[in-house]
Amino acid sequence: MELKAITDEEFDALYPIKMKALSGTHWTPVDVAKNAIAFLSEVEGKSVLDLGSGAGKFCLIAAANSGAKITGVEQRENLVRLSRKLASKARLHNLDFICDDLKNLDFGRFDSFYFFNAFEENINLKDKLDKDNSINLEQFHTYIRLIREKFEELPKWTRIVTYCGDAAEIPESYLMIKSNNKGKLRFWEKGR
Ligand SMILES: C[S@@+](CC[C@H](N)C(=O)[O-])C[C@H]1O[C@@H](n2cnc3c(N)ncnc32)[C@H](O)[C@@H]1O
């Protein structure tokens, strides 16, 4: 399975029908993933964490298109299983998936981060990932605060790419270097 030049249509066809149907809402488009990983792994040997890796689309495209070490953390076990299966089919070895709540991870182990609006599911029930999803505004704000605090503790030059959302999780110590896709894709670097 060759992922370097794959299109969105071809990639989404690798998923079971239900996962494929969620792609437009929940999984990163191929071009976005390529742009994001180019920024996050500009310097060789970077270790990149996808916060809420879902069915692995960002991680798989990023691993196939960079020499970076990619880790995805995802709370839903079925999505982690699917991601690992695709990684093995694609024979990608610079890629690892952790099944956990992202709040339990030490962000200091990573150089850069990708964040596609993982907490939106607490405030928006469009294309629910499972039937237990419900609106929980408090949880949304708690998690945004939590990763904001973790980002704040990271060293100068740490890079983050955010896709969608209002970037409330990005502390003022980060500068927006550029933005693409009508402002939905934003590239951040810690300035102090
Ligand atoms: C919008 S999807 C993005 C998937 C993937 N990053 C991609 O771009 O293809 C967000 C994912 O974050 C996961 N998620 C949400 N809150 C999480 C948490 N606290 N810990 C781990 N994963 C979480 C959800 O289960 C969902 O799969």
Side-chain angles (χ1 to χ4, degrees):
M1 192 165 87
E2 175 53 65
L3 298 183
K4 253 187 182 261
I6 202 164
T7 64
D8 277 302
E9 214 179 9
E10 289 163 349
F11 189 96
D12 295 342
L14 301 172
Y15 285 141
I17 288 174
K18 270 192 185 165
M19 287 300 144
K20 184 179 166 188
L22 295 172
S23 193
T25 305
H26 293 287
W27 319 139
T28 298
V30 168
D31 280 355
V32 168
K34 285 184 177 174
N35 269 327
I37 196 59
F39 178 76
L40 296 174
S41 66
E42 206 167 74
V43 177
E44 267 305 291
K46 289 286 175 190
S47 175
V48 180
L49 178 65
D50 180 11
L51 293 158
S53 52
K57 189 168 175 184
F58 168 78
C59 291
L60 286 151
I61 297 295
N65 287 281
S66 76
K69 162 98 181 67
I70 313 288
T71 303
V73 58
E74 169 56 49
Q75 63 187 351
R76 291 184 165 90
E77 213 179 321
N78 63 321
L79 298 182
V80 172
R81 251 185 277 119
L82 178 57
S83 304
R84 286 182 180 145
K85 197 168 142 191
L86 291 178
S88 142
K89 265 191 174 174
R91 296 176 199 274
L92 290 168
H93 303 297
N94 54 334
L95 177 57
D96 188 26
F97 293 98
I98 299 170
C99 188
D100 202 348
D101 188 313
L102 59 85
K103 74 177 178 196
N104 298 326
L105 261 69
D106 172 8
F107 284 21
R109 285 172 44 206
F110 304 92
D111 301 303
S112 50
F113 301 83
Y114 178 71
F115 183 66
F116 175 9
N117 220 10
F119 313 131
E120 173 87 5
E121 63 172 289
N122 294 297
I123 54 167
N124 181 353
L125 299 182
K126 181 173 181 250
D127 292 333
K128 286 165 55 151
L129 286 166
D130 53 45
K131 53 182 185 313
D132 296 334
N133 266 28
S134 56
I135 294 286
N136 189 339
L137 199 57
E138 198 184 325
Q139 176 145 315
F140 175 81
H141 289 300
T142 302
Y143 271 91
I144 291 286
R145 245 192 337 266
L146 183 136
I147 63 167
R148 192 182 159 90
E149 283 165 11
K150 284 180 176 272
F151 286 154
E152 182 62 60
E153 284 166 14
L154 295 170
K156 192 175 176 183
W157 311 123
T158 295
R159 286 186 167 191
I160 303 172
V161 172
T162 55
Y163 183 51
C164 303
D166 62 5
E169 66 282 355
I170 304 296
E172 281 74 35
S173 50
Y174 286 75
L175 306 172
M176 192 173 77
I177 307 289
K178 57 179 174 170
S179 80
N180 280 347
N181 298 58
K182 298 184 179 156
K184 283 201 298 184
L185 183 63
R186 296 185 232 187
F187 303 76
W188 307 88
E189 188 170 74
K190 196 157 192 269
R192 58 183 148 83

